[in-house]
Amino acid sequence: MCGIVAYIGHKEAYPIIIKGLQRLEYRGYDSAGVALISKGEINLYKKQGKVSELEAFTVGKNLAGAIGIGHTRWATHGAPNDRNAHPHFSGSSDLAIIHNGIIENYAALKSELIQRGHTFLSDTDTEVLIHLIEDIQAKTAVSLEEAVRVALNEVIGAYAIVIISKEDPDLLIAAKKSSPLVIGIGENDEYFIASDATPIVEYTKNVVYLNDEEIAVIKRGKELRLMNIKNQPKIPYIQELEMQLEAIEKGGFEHFMLKEIFEQPSSIRNSMRGRIDLNKGIVSLGGIREYKQKMINAERIIIVACGTSWHAGLVGEYLIEDLARIPVEVEYASEFRYRNPIINENDVVIAISQSGETADTLAAIKLAKEKGATIIGICNVVGSTISRATDAGSYTHAGPEIGVASTKAFTSQVTVLTLMALSLAQSKGTLSDSKFRQLLVELDSIPDKVEKMLQSDSKIEAIAALFRDARNFLYLGRGYNFPVALEGALKLKEISYIHAEGYPAAEMKHGPIALIDEHMPVVVIATKHGNYEKVVSNIEEVKARNGKIIAIVTKGDTAVKAIADYVIEVPESEDALSPLLTSIPLQLLSYHIAVMRGCNVDQPRNLAKSVTVE
Ligand code: AGP
């Protein structure tokens, strides 16, 4: 996510802002910038790259001023580069803005403003917002705060913004909706604004968390003033921060991984945002629109990926073949690139990568491209190498994933693959309209069901305590949940260092059943889908050999409850969407076992977040 920092007071703003941006680096970003007011001018400096690169860039420049704004950008609209970095000027350069969020109707606003003579320097939605504010002020001669209020009533989407004006060097205006914004109230008429408390806590513990659709007007020498976008005054509620710096970065969670597991209701929602319309019954993936026909006509779709992304690819295979009836093959990128595969120009390759920097996946793309295939990307990092190497793609918009073990990235990848499969199925007519709409409504309900699923965390933690010293685990699943069994095993392996294997449940009798005894915990995904009865008999086979069963079941299940040792319920769902739910308890089970074993959950031994080497 983007990071916001602003300051108004009696000290030099630049060092406070830069230090604040460094405090927000954990949020993940691709560019940084700062704007300061000095002697009636706004001096604005911004660059793609790290905060340290911005600092190097500003050496020798005018960094004076006791008021300023700073930003670290996590690209959503527009690739990471200097011109798309924040802050952004208005047309006259009298105003500057920083923004965290997504203006969903920015395209319509932008074309209107262009017709009114505005010209834009960047591809961002943020620049549109500051031009809209300037346009309103020019047309109606209202105050800046009123122009901001009117503009925010026209905006659809999420925002945390701070604006400065060279006409008034004693004024900061901030506003918030869905994206976080905190105001720190310092001594001697100092105010600090940031995306969270980490840049503020060293200066003051007195903070005001803005609520949705609230605007803050901070005028030097005056009291903080709040109102909502309906112009109703609001009383600032001043709280005292208890949390320490380290804890705040993790949003109060003990580890980034746990924070990211709990972010999944919103990250899955963000993967769908602006891409489904329940009323019209449509899925729209703008990023691949030009290549959709190519995908529909493909002789086959080849999915290339590594690790967790490969598991998401397996779910994608089941989804696309089941719903859109297009042949799909899933390949480990590291194998695909070296085995001299047969590829032709009628093939479509889908490359899945959270980081967008995985060397094997990039190499697989290059090979497929050389042989004439069409390349579609599903990445989380905007402007990453893989996303730029593809012909088209859809970003997952999961937000930065700091924990090395992939959690929200996996469910966001599966969400985008589900949208792709539904979109292809609808165009091919392989799904009835009623079935398509049923799946769309069900998909839209998944974030709320994940929220419910997360309430079982303490129960899962109690089960984890019973198995923290196990030496091996077996994970079994069928159909859509076979890839989830593989992913669950990987999660446990990579953070708790316990050996675990995922298997199709029916495969157990072809060998692994020899492993079963009272020391072998077996996690079975036994939701009421597909070959449910057969999974129940697999559980019986394990029980007969004294295996310990941890079953993931559909809420209200009784048959499995009667035979399993431990049961974790997930909400009822469509079979095709069940991986978005059944993967959650497996993430939590692995997390708690690893914590109980004293493992470094966020940075497991020997692992890197992005494997950019072969
Ligand atoms: C999964 O938890 C690991 N972090 C790892 O398997 C990862 O999924 C794999 O390295 C692929 O990374 P990518 O999605 O960034 O390409």
Side-chain angles (χ1 to χ4, degrees):
M1 282 83 77
C2 302
I4 275 182
V5 179
Y7 171 78
I8 185 168
H10 49 81
K11 299 189 187 84
E12 284 300 288
Y14 179 78
I16 293 172
I17 290 170
I18 286 293
K19 192 174 180 188
L21 294 180
Q22 286 159 347
R23 290 257 187 253
L24 295 178
E25 288 191 294
Y26 75 89
R27 297 166 68 89
Y29 68 104
D30 44 56
S31 48
V34 63
L36 307 151
I37 300 179
S38 165
K39 297 194 180 63
E41 286 304 323
I42 296 180
N43 299 306
L44 188 150
Y45 312 105
K46 58 184 185 176
K47 266 190 80 50
Q48 182 182 356
K50 295 301 177 194
V51 173
S52 53
E53 292 169 86
L54 173 67
E55 282 188 282
F57 177 66
T58 57
V59 169
K61 294 190 170 63
N62 179 359
L63 301 175
I67 174 173
I69 54 179
H71 188 267
T72 49
R73 180 175 182 245
W74 168 266
T76 53
H77 292 85
N81 54 36
D82 295 357
R83 66 191 179 84
N84 285 335
H86 300 207
H88 286 284
F89 272 127
S90 59
S92 62
S93 299
D94 292 351
L95 305 174
I97 187 172
I98 51 177
H99 168 225
N100 175 22
I102 294 180
I103 309 289
E104 289 176 19
N105 61 330
Y106 85 101
L109 294 170
K110 186 168 185 174
S111 52
E112 252 179 70
L113 289 163
I114 288 170
Q115 278 163 25
R116 294 213 285 268
H118 289 254
T119 53
F120 292 89
L121 306 176
S122 81
D123 314 319
T124 66
D125 52 347
T126 306
E127 191 185 11
V128 173
L129 180 53
I130 196 64
H131 276 252
L132 176 63
I133 292 165
E134 177 184 55
D135 192 69
I136 291 165
Q137 233 188 341
K139 276 190 317 192
T140 56
V142 294
S143 67
L144 178 57
E145 72 181 69
E146 177 59 8
V148 170
R149 188 189 69 77
V150 171
L152 294 180
N153 277 287
E154 293 184 33
V155 152
I156 300 168
Y159 53 79
I161 57 172
V162 186
I163 294 162
I164 53 175
S165 164
K166 78 176 188 183
E167 301 305 319
D168 188 344
D170 299 324
L171 177 68
L172 273 184
I173 293 183
K176 171 250 198 273
K177 182 182 177 188
S178 302
S179 300
L181 202 68
V182 189
I183 300 173
I185 302 173
E187 305 295 323
N188 323 319
D189 195 21
E190 276 188 314
Y191 288 93
F192 306 81
I193 301 177
S195 301
D196 63 36
T198 40
I200 295 173
V201 68
E202 63 194 275
Y203 304 107
T204 175
K205 297 267 188 191
N206 298 321
V207 297
V208 172
Y209 286 89
L210 278 193
N211 297 308
D212 277 356
E213 298 191 344
E214 279 186 353
I215 299 169
V217 178
I218 302 174
K219 180 81 174 166
R220 212 191 294 272
K222 296 263 180 57
E223 286 295 302
L224 168 65
R225 201 157 44 82
L226 301 187
M227 82 282 286
N228 65 18
I229 62 170
K230 295 183 181 55
N231 216 9
Q232 295 154 337
K234 294 289 177 184
I235 312 291
Y237 171 54
I238 301 174
Q239 304 180 48
E240 188 169 354
L241 278 175
E242 276 107 40
M243 281 195 277
Q244 295 313 312
L245 200 52
E246 163 83 358
I248 292 166
E249 285 183 5
K250 299 185 177 83
F253 289 97
E254 192 181 348
H255 298 101
F256 282 112
M257 181 178 174
L258 190 60
K259 174 171 173 272
E260 286 147 13
I261 290 172
F262 275 77
E263 276 176 353
Q264 288 178 109
S266 61
S267 54
I268 291 171
R269 177 63 66 200
N270 286 336
S271 300
M272 288 188 254
R273 193 182 296 280
R275 292 169 163 171
I276 60 176
D277 183 324
L278 295 182
N279 300 326
K280 295 184 191 145
I282 54 172
V283 168
S284 56
L285 288 166
I288 60 167
R289 187 170 294 126
E290 285 170 50
Y291 289 83
K292 188 168 163 184
Q293 202 51 49
K294 199 108 172 100
M295 295 177 83
I296 289 168
N297 301 333
E299 274 171 22
R300 63 180 171 165
I301 290 176
I302 303 167
I303 297 178
V304 294
C306 302
T308 286
S309 300
W310 186 84
H311 296 148
L314 275 184
V315 179
E317 174 185 22
Y318 283 63
L319 285 162
I320 296 169
E321 289 207 352
D322 183 17
L323 304 181
R325 314 307 293 156
I326 300 170
V328 178
E329 291 167 21
V330 184
E331 297 262 2
Y332 280 115
S334 53
E335 284 299 306
F336 183 75
R337 64 179 292 196
Y338 290 120
R339 67 175 186 76
N340 193 22
I342 297 167
I343 308 166
N344 61 52
E345 65 278 0
N346 297 323
D347 289 333
V348 170
V349 170
I350 298 178
I352 305 174
S353 176
Q354 187 285 130
S355 62
E357 302 300 338
T358 300
D360 284 323
T361 308
L362 189 58
I365 290 169
K366 284 182 178 156
L367 172 66
K369 233 175 171 175
E370 282 158 14
K371 299 198 176 223
T374 299
I375 317 292
I376 303 291
I378 298 179
C379 292
N380 192 36
V381 179
V382 176
S384 55
T385 307
I386 287 175
S387 68
R388 283 181 285 114
T390 60
D391 295 305
S394 295
Y395 285 117
T396 50
H397 294 311
E401 189 174 63
I402 311 295
V404 165
S406 199
T407 51
K408 65 175 183 173
F410 172 75
T411 48
S412 281
Q413 288 164 350
V414 170
T415 301
V416 170
L417 285 160
T418 305
L419 292 169
M420 273 185 189
L422 285 170
S423 176
L424 294 170
Q426 188 181 41
S427 300
K428 288 193 67 178
T430 48
L431 268 185
S432 68
D433 188 50
S434 59
K435 182 65 181 169
F436 174 83
R437 285 175 179 272
Q438 183 190 337
L439 283 166
L440 210 51
V441 168
E442 173 65 25
L443 180 59
D444 187 59
S445 73
I446 289 292
D448 292 343
K449 290 186 174 179
V450 170
E451 195 71 62
K452 284 201 187 67
M453 184 63 245
L454 291 167
Q455 288 162 14
S456 308
D457 181 37
S458 48
K459 174 175 180 180
I460 295 166
E461 185 175 9
I463 295 172
L466 302 171
F467 295 98
R468 50 173 287 177
D469 297 322
R471 300 179 61 73
N472 296 286
F473 263 79
L474 200 53
Y475 285 71
L476 304 177
R478 282 181 185 251
Y480 279 101
N481 282 298
F482 159 50
V484 178
L486 298 179
E487 174 58 12
L490 175 63
K491 238 12 77 210
L492 186 72
K493 271 186 279 206
E494 64 177 330
I495 62 173
S496 73
Y497 317 143
I498 294 174
H499 176 253
E501 274 192 279
Y503 254 91
E507 270 299 298
M508 227 215 343
K509 55 186 173 297
H510 300 285
I513 198 163
L515 293 171
I516 305 297
D517 60 21
E518 65 278 15
H519 305 299
M520 172 68 87
V522 181
V523 178
V524 187
I525 303 163
T527 47
K528 282 251 177 76
H529 299 118
N531 299 314
Y532 171 72
E533 290 70 26
K534 295 197 183 319
V535 176
V536 173
S537 52
N538 292 146
I539 292 175
E540 301 275 17
E541 289 154 20
V542 173
K543 285 298 287 176
R545 291 155 181 85
N546 302 320
K548 289 281 174 284
I549 298 278
I550 303 169
I552 312 296
V553 300
T554 301
K555 189 167 177 50
D557 182 294
T558 51
V560 174
K561 259 184 194 158
I563 52 176
D565 298 279
Y566 307 94
V567 163
I568 301 167
E569 291 187 328
V570 296
E572 176 95 38
S573 78
E574 288 279 342
D575 190 6
L577 307 180
S578 58
L580 292 168
L581 296 171
T582 54
S583 54
I584 308 292
L586 304 189
Q587 294 168 353
L588 288 169
L589 182 67
S590 303
Y591 168 80
H592 287 302
I593 289 176
V595 168
M596 290 168 189
R597 293 168 63 92
C599 296
N600 182 341
V601 174
D602 284 334
Q603 280 94 27
R605 67 185 182 196
N606 313 333
L607 292 183
K609 183 59 188 169
S610 171
V611 184
T612 56
V613 294
E614 298 183 12

